[in-house]
Amino acid sequence: LWITRAANRPAGHVKGSIMVLSEVRNNGIYHVRQLHDGAGDIHRHLENLGFVPGEQIVVVSRIGGNLIVNVKGSRVALSSELAKHITV
């Protein structure tokens, strides 16, 4: 998934730019743009967690490269490896 940053963009992020969720440096509000996966299992797993194009997500914190995000009213922990499949 690619995520675009909404209001309160982190420093260095250009409005409308595309990045993978694992590259997000600061906490904030993003929108899922796309899911990337060579095999379908990871793509399906992320969709089941609520990571679908257009969905708003809030990065709550980063711990050792891993992320805690709010998506569809639930708090989800993502490894940096899974976050690389999400474009915002």
Side-chain angles (χ1 to χ4, degrees), residues 3-11 13-16 24 26-31 56-59:
I3 299 171
T4 54
R5 177 98 163 122
N8 302 319
R9 286 179 243 332
H13 183 81
V14 178
K15 181 178 180 178
V24 173
N26 295 331
N27 300 347
I29 300 168
Y30 299 85
H31 289 89
Q56 177 178 294
I57 61 174
V58 179
V59 177

Side-chain angles (χ1 to χ4, degrees), residues 1-5 13 17-24 29-38 41-59 62 65-71 76-88:
L1 297 175
W2 292 97
I3 299 171
T4 54
R5 177 98 163 122
H13 183 81
S17 68
I18 297 173
M19 68 175 73
V20 292
L21 186 56
S22 61
E23 295 174 344
V24 173
I29 300 168
Y30 299 85
H31 289 89
V32 174
R33 296 189 92 173
Q34 187 176 354
L35 295 175
H36 297 276
D37 178 37
D41 291 342
I42 293 173
H43 186 99
R44 217 170 359 268
H45 177 64
L46 290 170
E47 283 181 337
N48 290 337
L49 290 173
F51 295 93
V52 295
E55 187 63 39
Q56 177 178 294
I57 61 174
V58 179
V59 177
R62 295 181 62 91
N66 301 316
L67 300 167
I68 306 293
V69 301
N70 284 336
V71 59
V76 177
L78 287 177
S79 68
S80 58
E81 223 20 69
L82 272 180
K84 289 178 185 176
H85 293 275
I86 303 170
T87 303
V88 294

